[in-house]
Structures are given as C-alpha cells and as structure tokens.
Amino acid sequence: MRRVSVVFRREFSSYFATPLAAIFLVVFLFLASMFAFNIGGFFDRGQADLRPFFQFHPWLYLFLVPAISMRLWAEERRTGTIELIATLPLTMQDLVLGKFFAAWAFTGLALILTTPMWWTVSFLGEPDHGVILCSYLASWLTAGSFLAIGSAISSLTKNQMVAFVLCAAACFLLLLSGFSVVLDFFRGWAPNMVVEGLSAIGVLTHFESMVRGVIDLRDVLYFASLIVAFLVINTAVIDWRKAA
Amino acid sequence: MATLIEAKDLRKRFGAIQAVDGISLSVSAGEVLGFLGPNGAGKSTTMRMLTGFLEADVGSVQLAGIALDADPLEARRRMGYLPEGAPAYPEMTVRDFLMFIAQARGFLGSEASRRVDGVIERIHLQQVLGQTIDTLSKGFKRRVGLAQAILHDPPVLILDEPTDGLDPNQKHEVRNLIKEMGASQGKAIVLSTHILEEVEAVCTRAVIINKGKVVVDETPESLMARAPEGSGSSAMDVVFRSVTSGDLEEAGQ
C-alpha cells in the first residue's frame, strides 16, 4: 500500500506540473455544462434533476479519458523512465495501481468541480439527492473503466497518438454495444442471446440504469470487473515487454 | 573479498540477433569493473539483465547474495542503477525527483530528506535543486541520475556511461567519487564507458565484450601491456581495436 501511494503521489502531482490538468478541467467543465444546458435542455425540462447533465458524460469521456490515459505508459517508454521505475524496489502491480488510481482520482476531481450544478438544482427545486449521488458514482465508474482500458493500451506502445486513437476506438465500441440504435439494428434478425449479450457488455446499459438512481450490484460488478480485467492485462503487458 | 555481483552464462536473443551470448561476470567488493565494447556489442543489454530490467533467456544473476529471479525486490534494494541516457521525469524539480526516489526506496519522512540532502551535497546539485529536470544541462542531468543511483548507499552499483556528457572537471569529480565508493566503501561497481582512458583512471578491472561475448577480462595494466611497444598513450586504443575487430583478433591468436 505504501509503495502504491508513493507512485500515486508522484503521478497525481505530475498532472499539475504541466498545463494538462488545467486544460482538461476547463474543457471538461465547459463541455459538460454546455451539453447539459444546450442539448440536454436542463432548464426547459422544468425538472429538478441532473439527468441532462449526466447523460452526456460517457460521450465526453470517449475523447477526454484517452487524452489522460495515452501518456500513462507510452510516455515512460518514450523517455526511458520505465527503466528507472522498473528497477526500483516496486512491483509492476504497485506501478500499475499507482498510475491508475492517480488518473482516476484526477477524473474524480473534475467531477467534484461540477458540484455547482448540484447546488443549482437544489436551489431551484427539490432534487432526489440519492439519484444524483448514484449518478456521480456511475459517471466516475465509467471514467475508471475507460481509464483502465486506456492504461492497458498505453502500455502497448511508445507512441501517444496511437494510444489515444486505439483507446478512443475501444471505448467507442464499448459504448456502441449498449446503444439502443445498435441494439435495435440487431433486434430484428439476430438471436435474442446476441442482443442481450451486446447490451450486457455495453457501458450505456449499466450507466443508464445507475443514473436512474438504482444501485444494482450487477452494474457495480460490471464496472469493477472491467477495471480489474484491464489492469491485470496492463500488468501482464508491462511485465512481458518492459523494454519494448 | 565477498562476491557482490555474480552473473552466470547470461544469454539474450532479440529476434535473429544473439545480443548477449553467454556472459559470466563475478565482481567482488571494492572492485570497479570497466565494461567496454563497440556499439552494439551487448553492453547495455548485459547491464539491463544484471539489474533485472530485462529477463535473461538463460542464466542467473545474484546481487549481494540475493538471486534476482527469486527475490527481485530485495535484490533491487541492494543495487543502484543509472540507466543509459540517465532518464528522469522532465517536469519534476531535482529535489522532488530525488524525494520520489527516496520514498520509492522506502525511506520515510525526515529520513528521506536526510538521504536526499546528503546526496545533493555529495554530487554538488545545490544550485539546480529547484529547477525542473528538462531545463538541466546534459552534465547536470547525468549527475541527477547518478545521485538517484547512490542515494540509498547500495553495495552494488551498475552505471551505464556515468560520465557521458560531463565536462572535464565534472568527469574528474565523478571519477573520484566512483573510485572512492569502490576503494573505501567496498562497493562492487560495474560501469560501461566508451572512453578508454576512463578505464585506466578509475577501474580495477577491464572487461571487453564483442558480439555478446567476453573477449578480455583482466586488469587495465595487463591490458595495456598487450599493446605493441611504442604505442604510447594510445596503447589502450590499439588493444581495444585488436580484440574487437574480428580479423585482427583471429590473426593474433
């Protein structure tokens, strides 16, 4: 745990050593509120809830998360610092977890900075705070899943652009497979099992059920297993080809 | 003298290239081993296997009595490593970077600061402490790399080109530091270099490798003695060329 926290602290503070943190936070806050007000019809709905705000989060993460995750390992490979950290008395697991948690905490910070939206609806009406809390959790878990995927992909290359594009593509597929338009396309002719399966692996299915305010253990398990699976892959890849 | 580095029959293949082809090394406390060889001879690959960054296809490494594959963390604790090019996080300040290394090496709180302060004084980094690493000159960057390698006072040091990019004064200083760490602190040190005079100046032993194999393993003095008479100050160059360029080597044997 101590070793993970050493890596975590270095990684987390590294976001603020460059303009990356500021740019990410500004873009995230700007887009998240713009979508909520302009496309989601936050005011027009006349309801005191944050549905129009949260429903666009997975789509925002689609390109904002790869922007964070692309550098996680590709940068270490490019600058050669991987040789330094891999020969310190730290395990690969310490490094993978420290980096992942730092990135996840950073997206958590971005979410915390959106709480003025929450104060606003509380001021305007009487929202269901449980639902909002649950939505925040859903959003954070989605970001975490995308980050784990991005971290694993970043560990495969020393080229950050490659890591960005592959991660965005992987997350897009994961989003699409739960999207109702895609599901409807299959529903007409494919066996029910295929449609159910696609919907079960899709992020949106689980995200939307949590945003409705229901914490179903299956949804939480879905996100948790995505994160764990990709971090295990990440560790294996780094162990397998440290020098590549 | 205790053997601190024991490498047996290391082999590594990258695709069709046999980069390291059966290298065995045994380095005792107090020895400073100069690792020489033409570019691509397998120096860095061998050092990476000694530190456990690369896994050898065949062979074993023991550092200060700990088998690298059996207990990698404990073996790494006993070793300091300056990788090729002295990589470091460019956005960190020198002090933050060294504090990170100290904490990663398990030093807590004031002990970590004490270690960092000590090494800063030894390597003379005071004037760049607050600078970020990407603003440092090549020489200072190399010295930061050296500082992180010796911060925990390890019995084993593996240094890949520790004086590359230093000016003559800095070279002199770093060489004295290395000599001192070998002679009076009894560390086992392996350093690679392209500068043959450096081997004469700091090493107690010279190992030349070529095409992944050890071709010479003796003291710098006896290495010099191989040179034909009258080669003077370039004696080392003459010997190096003759053992690393295939034709001459075969002709000489």
Side-chain angles (χ1 to χ4, degrees):
Chain A
M1 252 342 270
R2 191 196 57 75
R3 297 192 308 241
V4 174
S5 91
V6 170
V7 180
F8 175 91
R9 272 176 289 153
R10 196 212 78 75
E11 285 287 323
F12 193 73
S13 59
S14 81
Y15 288 104
F16 299 94
T18 62
L20 178 75
I23 293 171
F24 179 90
L25 293 174
V26 168
V27 170
F28 177 77
L29 294 176
F30 174 75
L31 289 179
S33 37
M34 192 193 78
F35 277 135
F37 290 117
N38 295 345
I39 306 176
F42 180 65
F43 286 125
D44 306 336
R45 297 170 79 227
Q47 285 181 34
D49 68 8
L50 285 178
R51 274 299 287 280
F53 169 63
F54 283 111
Q55 70 187 17
F56 296 105
H57 281 197
W59 302 98
L60 277 179
Y61 291 144
L62 189 56
F63 62 95
L64 286 177
V65 164
I68 298 180
S69 68
M70 64 179 187
R71 47 168 285 286
L72 284 178
W73 291 98
E75 176 88 346
E76 302 267 0
R77 283 198 196 284
R78 196 181 56 78
T79 60
T81 43
I82 187 164
E83 192 162 355
L84 187 80
I85 52 171
T87 52
L88 287 171
L90 304 168
T91 63
M92 281 303 151
Q93 216 178 1
D94 299 334
L95 296 170
V96 169
L97 289 177
K99 277 173 174 289
F100 170 76
F101 282 127
W104 203 19
F106 182 67
T107 58
L109 176 70
L111 278 176
I112 287 172
L113 292 177
T114 66
T115 47
M117 295 288 290
W118 195 349
W119 309 341
T120 310
V121 284
S122 307
F123 176 73
L124 294 175
E126 282 177 7
D128 185 332
H129 294 291
V131 171
I132 292 178
L133 205 58
C134 194
S135 303
Y136 267 113
L137 183 65
S139 177
W140 196 45
L141 284 170
T142 305
S145 309
F146 285 8
L147 276 173
I149 293 170
S151 182
I153 288 173
S154 176
S155 69
L156 284 164
T157 174
K158 62 171 84 171
N159 186 325
Q160 297 196 27
M161 276 323 288
V162 170
F164 179 92
V165 172
L166 287 181
C167 174
C171 295
F172 189 51
L173 286 177
L174 211 54
L175 269 184
L176 273 189
S177 63
F179 201 42
S180 50
V181 179
V182 176
L183 291 180
D184 287 343
F185 172 76
F186 281 99
R187 202 161 274 142
W189 50 274
N192 209 29
M193 231 174 64
V194 173
V195 180
E196 295 279 309
L198 272 176
S199 146
I201 61 161
V203 165
L204 285 179
T205 319
H206 301 276
F207 176 78
E208 271 159 11
S209 94
M210 281 187 83
V211 167
R212 276 195 294 272
V214 189
I215 295 198
D216 186 331
L217 190 62
R218 276 172 304 178
D219 295 327
V220 178
L221 269 181
Y222 164 81
F223 288 115
S225 44
L226 256 187
I227 291 172
V228 171
F230 277 96
L231 291 184
V232 167
I233 292 172
N234 189 351
T235 313
V237 168
I238 293 287
D239 245 338
W240 168 52
R241 16 177 276 173
K242 277 180 264 191
Chain B
M1 281 285 200
T3 304
L4 291 181
I5 305 174
E6 179 82 69
K8 282 194 188 129
D9 193 34
L10 293 178
R11 287 166 199 273
K12 185 78 189 177
R13 172 181 283 278
F14 296 115
I17 302 155
Q18 187 72 43
V20 174
D21 193 7
I23 287 187
S24 297
L25 284 175
S26 159
V27 189
S28 306
E31 269 194 301
V32 180
L33 187 149
F35 208 40
L36 297 157
N39 285 332
K43 293 192 298 287
S44 287
T45 305
T46 305
M47 295 182 113
R48 283 173 171 177
M49 287 191 285
L50 289 178
T51 58
F53 180 63
L54 278 181
E55 223 167 288
D57 298 338
V58 180
S60 66
V61 176
Q62 279 206 349
L63 299 175
I66 307 287
L68 197 55
D69 53 353
D71 192 351
L73 288 200
E74 192 51 42
R76 286 185 217 153
R77 278 187 198 109
R78 297 169 186 222
M79 165 206 83
Y81 178 36
L82 170 66
E84 190 180 14
Y89 293 105
E91 78 281 1
M92 289 179 100
T93 66
V94 172
R95 198 184 161 80
D96 287 348
F97 175 69
L98 292 175
M99 278 303 280
F100 162 66
I101 298 288
Q103 285 160 356
R105 291 220 170 262
F107 299 114
L108 303 171
S110 61
E111 175 66 7
S113 332
R114 206 181 58 76
R115 290 273 171 176
V116 170
D117 292 341
V119 87
I120 284 166
E121 195 160 318
R122 259 179 106 183
I123 315 264
H124 305 298
L125 292 171
Q126 293 90 339
Q127 63 182 105
V128 294
L129 268 190
Q131 260 174 266
T132 56
I133 287 169
D134 57 357
T135 65
L136 296 183
S137 67
K138 205 177 167 196
F140 267 118
K141 212 183 149 214
R142 187 72 38 154
R143 281 152 74 183
V144 170
L146 192 63
Q148 64 78 22
I150 66 171
L151 184 135
H152 55 302
D153 197 21
V156 172
L157 273 178
I158 315 274
L159 310 171
D160 205 342
E161 304 196 340
T163 60
D164 189 39
L166 302 186
D167 68 34
N169 294 335
Q170 296 167 336
K171 266 187 191 149
H172 181 73
E173 212 174 276
V174 167
R175 284 175 190 171
N176 282 344
L177 179 74
I178 292 173
K179 264 201 279 195
E180 185 210 316
M181 288 192 295
S184 42
Q185 298 175 23
K187 297 185 191 305
I189 303 173
V190 174
L191 65 91
S192 73
T193 179
H194 277 297
I195 311 160
L196 298 171
E197 54 167 272
E198 190 156 293
V199 176
E200 280 182 81
V202 297
C203 299
T204 60
R205 199 169 137 197
V207 168
I208 302 182
I209 66 167
N210 191 30
K211 295 180 185 140
K213 286 192 163 95
V214 174
V215 289
V216 169
D217 183 353
E218 54 197 32
T219 62
E221 292 74 34
S222 58
L223 188 63
M224 298 275 286
R226 285 182 182 219
E229 271 186 56
S231 25
S233 62
S234 64
M236 205 75 153
D237 295 25
V238 176
V239 180
F240 181 82
R241 274 202 302 276
S242 78
V243 296
T244 56
S245 57
D247 302 341
L248 277 171
E249 187 195 346
E250 275 147 34
Q253 277 171 354

mmCIF file of all heavy atoms in Angstrom, chain A residues 174-196:
data_model
loop_
_atom_site.group_PDB
_atom_site.id
_atom_site.type_symbol
_atom_site.label_atom_id
_atom_site.label_comp_id
_atom_site.label_asym_id
_atom_site.label_seq_id
_atom_site.Cartn_x
_atom_site.Cartn_y
_atom_site.Cartn_z
ATOM 1 N N LEU A 174 -17.311 -0.097 -26.946
ATOM 2 C CA LEU A 174 -17.956 -0.465 -25.692
ATOM 3 C C LEU A 174 -19.222 0.367 -25.467
ATOM 4 O O LEU A 174 -20.219 -0.125 -24.946
ATOM 5 C CB LEU A 174 -16.965 -0.247 -24.539
ATOM 6 C CG LEU A 174 -17.067 -1.161 -23.337
ATOM 7 C CD1 LEU A 174 -17.012 -2.613 -23.755
ATOM 8 C CD2 LEU A 174 -15.954 -0.848 -22.364
ATOM 9 N N LEU A 175 -19.174 1.615 -25.889
ATOM 10 C CA LEU A 175 -20.348 2.481 -25.773
ATOM 11 C C LEU A 175 -21.426 2.052 -26.752
ATOM 12 O O LEU A 175 -22.598 1.926 -26.407
ATOM 13 C CB LEU A 175 -19.965 3.925 -26.084
ATOM 14 C CG LEU A 175 -19.513 4.832 -24.940
ATOM 15 C CD1 LEU A 175 -19.278 6.227 -25.465
ATOM 16 C CD2 LEU A 175 -20.559 4.856 -23.841
ATOM 17 N N LEU A 176 -20.999 1.816 -27.994
ATOM 18 C CA LEU A 176 -21.944 1.470 -29.049
ATOM 19 C C LEU A 176 -22.735 0.220 -28.735
ATOM 20 O O LEU A 176 -23.924 0.140 -29.022
ATOM 21 C CB LEU A 176 -21.191 1.245 -30.364
ATOM 22 C CG LEU A 176 -20.921 2.456 -31.225
ATOM 23 C CD1 LEU A 176 -20.365 1.991 -32.556
ATOM 24 C CD2 LEU A 176 -22.211 3.243 -31.439
ATOM 25 N N SER A 177 -22.047 -0.762 -28.128
ATOM 26 C CA SER A 177 -22.718 -2.059 -27.984
ATOM 27 C C SER A 177 -23.895 -1.983 -27.010
ATOM 28 O O SER A 177 -24.702 -2.897 -26.953
ATOM 29 C CB SER A 177 -21.721 -3.135 -27.571
ATOM 30 O OG SER A 177 -21.189 -2.832 -26.319
ATOM 31 N N GLY A 178 -24.010 -0.879 -26.278
ATOM 32 C CA GLY A 178 -25.196 -0.772 -25.424
ATOM 33 C C GLY A 178 -26.158 0.298 -25.918
ATOM 34 O O GLY A 178 -27.149 0.603 -25.260
ATOM 35 N N PHE A 179 -25.865 0.856 -27.083
ATOM 36 C CA PHE A 179 -26.636 1.974 -27.597
ATOM 37 C C PHE A 179 -27.904 1.454 -28.251
ATOM 38 O O PHE A 179 -27.874 0.489 -29.011
ATOM 39 C CB PHE A 179 -25.755 2.699 -28.626
ATOM 40 C CG PHE A 179 -26.165 4.112 -28.874
ATOM 41 C CD1 PHE A 179 -26.538 4.947 -27.831
ATOM 42 C CD2 PHE A 179 -26.156 4.633 -30.155
ATOM 43 C CE1 PHE A 179 -26.901 6.251 -28.055
ATOM 44 C CE2 PHE A 179 -26.520 5.948 -30.396
ATOM 45 C CZ PHE A 179 -26.893 6.758 -29.351
ATOM 46 N N SER A 180 -29.031 2.067 -27.967
ATOM 47 C CA SER A 180 -30.296 1.487 -28.419
ATOM 48 C C SER A 180 -30.392 1.382 -29.946
ATOM 49 O O SER A 180 -30.955 0.434 -30.463
ATOM 50 C CB SER A 180 -31.467 2.295 -27.852
ATOM 51 O OG SER A 180 -31.271 3.657 -28.107
ATOM 52 N N VAL A 181 -29.800 2.343 -30.662
ATOM 53 C CA VAL A 181 -29.851 2.275 -32.128
ATOM 54 C C VAL A 181 -29.181 0.996 -32.624
ATOM 55 O O VAL A 181 -29.694 0.292 -33.500
ATOM 56 C CB VAL A 181 -29.135 3.505 -32.748
ATOM 57 C CG1 VAL A 181 -29.172 3.413 -34.268
ATOM 58 C CG2 VAL A 181 -29.778 4.788 -32.268
ATOM 59 N N VAL A 182 -28.030 0.687 -32.026
ATOM 60 C CA VAL A 182 -27.302 -0.509 -32.439
ATOM 61 C C VAL A 182 -28.071 -1.761 -32.028
ATOM 62 O O VAL A 182 -28.201 -2.721 -32.790
ATOM 63 C CB VAL A 182 -25.885 -0.512 -31.810
ATOM 64 C CG1 VAL A 182 -25.149 -1.793 -32.155
ATOM 65 C CG2 VAL A 182 -25.111 0.703 -32.271
ATOM 66 N N LEU A 183 -28.601 -1.727 -30.821
ATOM 67 C CA LEU A 183 -29.350 -2.893 -30.347
ATOM 68 C C LEU A 183 -30.578 -3.147 -31.222
ATOM 69 O O LEU A 183 -30.882 -4.281 -31.574
ATOM 70 C CB LEU A 183 -29.761 -2.701 -28.884
ATOM 71 C CG LEU A 183 -28.614 -2.731 -27.873
ATOM 72 C CD1 LEU A 183 -29.131 -2.535 -26.457
ATOM 73 C CD2 LEU A 183 -27.846 -4.048 -27.965
ATOM 74 N N ASP A 184 -31.256 -2.064 -31.623
ATOM 75 C CA ASP A 184 -32.432 -2.205 -32.479
ATOM 76 C C ASP A 184 -32.064 -2.815 -33.826
ATOM 77 O O ASP A 184 -32.796 -3.603 -34.389
ATOM 78 C CB ASP A 184 -33.090 -0.831 -32.717
ATOM 79 C CG ASP A 184 -33.803 -0.355 -31.458
ATOM 80 O OD1 ASP A 184 -34.054 -1.212 -30.576
ATOM 81 O OD2 ASP A 184 -34.076 0.859 -31.337
ATOM 82 N N PHE A 185 -30.891 -2.432 -34.299
ATOM 83 C CA PHE A 185 -30.422 -2.955 -35.572
ATOM 84 C C PHE A 185 -30.290 -4.478 -35.515
ATOM 85 O O PHE A 185 -30.653 -5.192 -36.445
ATOM 86 C CB PHE A 185 -29.067 -2.311 -35.908
ATOM 87 C CG PHE A 185 -28.386 -2.908 -37.101
ATOM 88 C CD1 PHE A 185 -28.818 -2.617 -38.386
ATOM 89 C CD2 PHE A 185 -27.303 -3.775 -36.944
ATOM 90 C CE1 PHE A 185 -28.188 -3.174 -39.481
ATOM 91 C CE2 PHE A 185 -26.675 -4.325 -38.041
ATOM 92 C CZ PHE A 185 -27.122 -4.026 -39.317
ATOM 93 N N PHE A 186 -29.788 -4.974 -34.389
ATOM 94 C CA PHE A 186 -29.619 -6.428 -34.253
ATOM 95 C C PHE A 186 -30.926 -7.123 -33.894
ATOM 96 O O PHE A 186 -31.134 -8.280 -34.212
ATOM 97 C CB PHE A 186 -28.576 -6.727 -33.165
ATOM 98 C CG PHE A 186 -27.168 -6.548 -33.635
ATOM 99 C CD1 PHE A 186 -26.464 -5.385 -33.350
ATOM 100 C CD2 PHE A 186 -26.532 -7.539 -34.369
ATOM 101 C CE1 PHE A 186 -25.172 -5.216 -33.790
ATOM 102 C CE2 PHE A 186 -25.226 -7.376 -34.815
ATOM 103 C CZ PHE A 186 -24.536 -6.203 -34.518
ATOM 104 N N ARG A 187 -31.819 -6.385 -33.218
ATOM 105 C CA ARG A 187 -33.000 -6.999 -32.637
ATOM 106 C C ARG A 187 -33.868 -7.680 -33.685
ATOM 107 O O ARG A 187 -34.460 -8.713 -33.444
ATOM 108 C CB ARG A 187 -33.800 -5.951 -31.858
ATOM 109 C CG ARG A 187 -34.720 -6.538 -30.819
ATOM 110 C CD ARG A 187 -35.121 -5.503 -29.776
ATOM 111 N NE ARG A 187 -34.150 -5.394 -28.689
ATOM 112 C CZ ARG A 187 -33.810 -4.257 -28.100
ATOM 113 N NH1 ARG A 187 -34.328 -3.122 -28.508
ATOM 114 N NH2 ARG A 187 -32.935 -4.250 -27.114
ATOM 115 N N GLY A 188 -33.914 -7.087 -34.877
ATOM 116 C CA GLY A 188 -34.781 -7.618 -35.920
ATOM 117 C C GLY A 188 -34.467 -9.049 -36.325
ATOM 118 O O GLY A 188 -35.357 -9.860 -36.533
ATOM 119 N N TRP A 189 -33.201 -9.385 -36.408
ATOM 120 C CA TRP A 189 -32.865 -10.677 -37.016
ATOM 121 C C TRP A 189 -31.955 -11.554 -36.157
ATOM 122 O O TRP A 189 -31.982 -12.763 -36.265
ATOM 123 C CB TRP A 189 -32.177 -10.412 -38.359
ATOM 124 C CG TRP A 189 -31.045 -9.413 -38.263
ATOM 125 C CD1 TRP A 189 -31.155 -8.058 -38.332
ATOM 126 C CD2 TRP A 189 -29.672 -9.700 -38.035
ATOM 127 N NE1 TRP A 189 -29.935 -7.474 -38.156
ATOM 128 C CE2 TRP A 189 -29.001 -8.455 -37.989
ATOM 129 C CE3 TRP A 189 -28.946 -10.889 -37.879
ATOM 130 C CZ2 TRP A 189 -27.630 -8.368 -37.769
ATOM 131 C CZ3 TRP A 189 -27.582 -10.788 -37.684
ATOM 132 C CH2 TRP A 189 -26.927 -9.541 -37.621
ATOM 133 N N ALA A 190 -31.129 -10.925 -35.302
ATOM 134 C CA ALA A 190 -30.180 -11.739 -34.546
ATOM 135 C C ALA A 190 -30.906 -12.459 -33.409
ATOM 136 O O ALA A 190 -31.936 -11.987 -32.934
ATOM 137 C CB ALA A 190 -29.079 -10.845 -33.977
ATOM 138 N N PRO A 191 -30.382 -13.619 -33.007
ATOM 139 C CA PRO A 191 -30.994 -14.310 -31.881
ATOM 140 C C PRO A 191 -30.990 -13.422 -30.641
ATOM 141 O O PRO A 191 -30.110 -12.570 -30.465
ATOM 142 C CB PRO A 191 -30.099 -15.531 -31.672
ATOM 143 C CG PRO A 191 -29.040 -15.499 -32.705
ATOM 144 C CD PRO A 191 -29.233 -14.311 -33.571
ATOM 145 N N ASN A 192 -31.958 -13.607 -29.806
ATOM 146 C CA ASN A 192 -32.115 -12.780 -28.616
ATOM 147 C C ASN A 192 -30.863 -12.765 -27.752
ATOM 148 O O ASN A 192 -30.522 -11.751 -27.141
ATOM 149 C CB ASN A 192 -33.315 -13.303 -27.813
ATOM 150 C CG ASN A 192 -33.962 -12.165 -27.038
ATOM 151 O OD1 ASN A 192 -33.895 -11.015 -27.474
ATOM 152 N ND2 ASN A 192 -34.550 -12.484 -25.912
ATOM 153 N N MET A 193 -30.181 -13.931 -27.744
ATOM 154 C CA MET A 193 -28.990 -14.048 -26.907
ATOM 155 C C MET A 193 -27.911 -13.040 -27.303
ATOM 156 O O MET A 193 -27.245 -12.466 -26.456
ATOM 157 C CB MET A 193 -28.412 -15.457 -27.040
ATOM 158 C CG MET A 193 -28.152 -16.134 -25.722
ATOM 159 S SD MET A 193 -27.655 -17.844 -26.012
ATOM 160 C CE MET A 193 -26.124 -17.615 -26.890
ATOM 161 N N VAL A 194 -27.784 -12.834 -28.617
ATOM 162 C CA VAL A 194 -26.770 -11.897 -29.118
ATOM 163 C C VAL A 194 -27.106 -10.474 -28.662
ATOM 164 O O VAL A 194 -26.257 -9.737 -28.166
ATOM 165 C CB VAL A 194 -26.676 -11.971 -30.663
ATOM 166 C CG1 VAL A 194 -25.748 -10.881 -31.194
ATOM 167 C CG2 VAL A 194 -26.209 -13.351 -31.089
ATOM 168 N N VAL A 195 -28.385 -10.112 -28.809
ATOM 169 C CA VAL A 195 -28.819 -8.769 -28.417
ATOM 170 C C VAL A 195 -28.603 -8.563 -26.921
ATOM 171 O O VAL A 195 -28.066 -7.542 -26.480
ATOM 172 C CB VAL A 195 -30.304 -8.565 -28.781
ATOM 173 C CG1 VAL A 195 -30.753 -7.174 -28.364
ATOM 174 C CG2 VAL A 195 -30.509 -8.770 -30.274
ATOM 175 N N GLU A 196 -29.004 -9.577 -26.147
ATOM 176 C CA GLU A 196 -28.827 -9.481 -24.687
ATOM 177 C C GLU A 196 -27.357 -9.366 -24.314
ATOM 178 O O GLU A 196 -26.977 -8.578 -23.455
ATOM 179 C CB GLU A 196 -29.417 -10.733 -24.008
ATOM 180 C CG GLU A 196 -30.908 -10.855 -24.162
ATOM 181 C CD GLU A 196 -31.648 -10.000 -23.153
ATOM 182 O OE1 GLU A 196 -31.326 -10.119 -21.959
ATOM 183 O OE2 GLU A 196 -32.503 -9.198 -23.564
#
